[in-house]
Amino acid sequence: MGFSFQLQATCRHTKARVGVFHTPHGILETPRFMPVGTLANVKTVTPEHLKATGAQMILANTYHLHLQPGEDIVAAAGGLHRFMGWDGPILTDSGGFQVFSLSEMRTITEEGVTFRSPRDGQIIHFTPERSMQIQNALGADVIMAFDECPPYPASREEVQAATDRTLRWLERCFAAHQRTDQALFPIVQGGTYLDLRAAAAQAIAQMDAHGYAIGGVSVGEPPELIEKIVKATTPMLPAHKPRYLMGVGTYREMVQAIASGIDMFDCVIPTRLARHGCALVGGDRWNVKNNRFRRDFTPLDAACDCYTCRTFTRAYISHLLHARELLAFTLLSIHNIHELIRFTQRIRESILSDRFVEEFGPWLQPEPTATVT
């Protein structure tokens, strides 16, 4: 019923690795993409659909669930697993990133963050202790420390202040965390300043956590900066614990991060693209509303074995989109989630067979140079 991480294989040429993260509600085979279910549901997809895509761990969000329906209701239902009908592992974000996105509506102090709810205008105060209380009530397997996510671009002074405050808040999170059946992951911040990232990673690595995360990427910086940050920071985190890169889910970024030793990923990309009528096929994004699909009676991807590709044609999904039928979003979400999970499964298998660089070498080529301070 506890937590453990077992390494099964490592790449001879990179820092890529294969492992199994054990949680009270099951395992996560790494490296692995994790679908995002912000409000205790992965948009348009049922838990049964999710299982069929190969999903193992999914995400929910502390900030959004606090606003609606409230952690008291989730707790009264028996916790997130029972509330949303998902019996596998769940991770909850702390709400830090969502508070960051409310930059015009919030005030940050040493105590915490005060903001106006975009839902009803209510004044809400989030502190490290409050985030822990809410996440303890929600009952996810993995919970995240409350952090301050600096924007991009930001001055060194601004990023230094946010990074230092995140570390002080982390101590308060550990002190407030009350449940032994939930793993608390610290988060490395530091913006694009590699020395600040290094200092934060070294400080966090001294803490006896069940896993560690890198946050504050994919907040507007170019991909080549993300690559440099992850490559420099990941090896500083304990190798015998899972490493989680927050908010990243593109093919190239995942391959680059896995080569640096990252194990876990999440992103809203698959369901967001689906709601815009787009399918992920072979690394490309297809707009299935385009006229070329209206008489195309082949699967989205003949090499894909997801429910959508086994059952329906491009023409049918195109028809649903043009008719504004909600089923289109479900079918595209199923395929897109399955595609990203299948991609990380292929990477996992390539590491196990010692073919990671051979099979994914093109994704490992560096982007054009960018300045990192």
Side-chain angles (χ1 to χ4, degrees), residues 208-280:
D208 186 21
H210 292 292
Y212 302 84
I214 298 174
V217 297
S218 292
V219 294
E221 72 276 37
E224 61 268 24
L225 288 187
I226 297 175
E227 177 186 336
K228 290 177 182 293
I229 291 165
V230 174
K231 187 174 183 179
T233 305
T234 306
M236 299 180 186
L237 299 176
H240 63 294
K241 301 290 180 68
R243 299 156 169 169
Y244 166 32
L245 182 59
M246 305 178 72
V248 167
T250 65
Y251 297 80
R252 179 184 176 79
E253 288 173 353
M254 288 195 293
V255 171
Q256 294 278 354
I258 288 169
S260 296
I262 290 291
D263 306 298
M264 303 161 61
F265 305 87
D266 79 280
C267 192
V268 298
I269 282 178
T271 51
R272 178 172 291 172
L273 287 177
R275 296 195 302 279
H276 287 86
C278 291
L280 292 168

Side-chain angles (χ1 to χ4, degrees), residues 17-311:
R17 72 249 196 100
V18 165
V20 179
F21 180 38
H22 296 262
T23 80
H25 285 89
I27 65 169
L28 179 71
E29 297 173 326
T30 64
R32 196 79 166 199
F33 176 81
M34 304 179 295
V36 176
T38 302
L39 278 162
N41 78 295
V42 178
K43 293 186 185 301
T44 75
V45 179
T46 70
E48 186 175 356
H49 289 143
L50 277 176
K51 288 287 187 183
T53 67
Q56 292 179 333
M57 179 179 281
I58 63 174
L59 274 71
N61 184 264
T62 300
Y63 163 81
H64 288 288
L65 290 172
H66 173 65
L67 296 183
Q68 171 64 42
E71 64 275 10
D72 56 334
I73 291 177
V74 175
L80 268 177
H81 296 87
R82 290 187 180 178
F83 188 59
M84 64 186 295
W86 174 259
D87 60 4
I90 300 175
L91 181 152
T92 46
D93 192 0
S94 67
F97 180 79
Q98 284 66 37
V99 171
F100 149 80
S101 69
L102 299 171
S103 57
E104 303 299 321
M105 306 169 63
R106 50 113 166 112
T107 301
I108 301 175
T109 66
E110 185 63 25
E111 178 63 19
V113 182
T114 302
F115 59 96
R116 188 177 297 277
S117 168
R119 182 176 296 273
D120 58 12
Q122 177 184 357
I123 298 298
I124 297 176
H125 192 54
F126 253 51
T127 64
E129 293 79 9
R130 190 74 184 102
S131 177
M132 292 298 99
Q133 291 168 2
I134 296 169
Q135 292 190 80
N136 286 168
L138 293 173
D141 300 270
V142 176
I143 66 176
M144 303 305 299
F146 188 63
D147 60 333
E148 181 181 347
C149 181
Y152 175 84
S155 70
R156 181 181 177 86
E157 291 72 21
E158 291 172 316
V159 176
Q160 176 87 66
T163 304
D164 291 345
R165 185 178 291 119
T166 292
L167 291 173
R168 293 192 296 272
W169 283 358
L170 176 58
E171 294 180 359
R172 291 164 59 186
C173 286
F174 272 107
H177 180 34
Q178 296 295 313
R179 293 180 57 164
T180 59
D181 60 344
Q182 291 180 300
L184 172 57
F185 280 24
I187 302 172
V188 177
Q189 291 290 351
T192 59
Y193 300 92
L194 296 187
D195 60 327
L196 298 184
R197 289 278 181 179
Q202 290 165 3
I204 284 172
Q206 302 304 311
M207 300 181 176
D208 186 21
H210 292 292
Y212 302 84
I214 298 174
V217 297
S218 292
V219 294
E221 72 276 37
E224 61 268 24
L225 288 187
I226 297 175
E227 177 186 336
K228 290 177 182 293
I229 291 165
V230 174
K231 187 174 183 179
T233 305
T234 306
M236 299 180 186
L237 299 176
H240 63 294
K241 301 290 180 68
R243 299 156 169 169
Y244 166 32
L245 182 59
M246 305 178 72
V248 167
T250 65
Y251 297 80
R252 179 184 176 79
E253 288 173 353
M254 288 195 293
V255 171
Q256 294 278 354
I258 288 169
S260 296
I262 290 291
D263 306 298
M264 303 161 61
F265 305 87
D266 79 280
C267 192
V268 298
I269 282 178
T271 51
R272 178 172 291 172
L273 287 177
R275 296 195 302 279
H276 287 86
C278 291
L280 292 168
V281 181
D284 296 325
R285 300 180 182 185
W286 291 0
N287 184 350
V288 190
K289 291 179 287 187
N290 287 348
N291 282 337
R292 69 187 180 100
F293 296 113
R294 300 191 76 162
R295 290 181 174 273
D296 188 337
F297 303 109
T298 60
L300 279 176
D301 182 353
C304 179
D305 63 351
C306 77
Y307 169 72
T308 300
C309 291
R310 293 196 321 268
T311 313

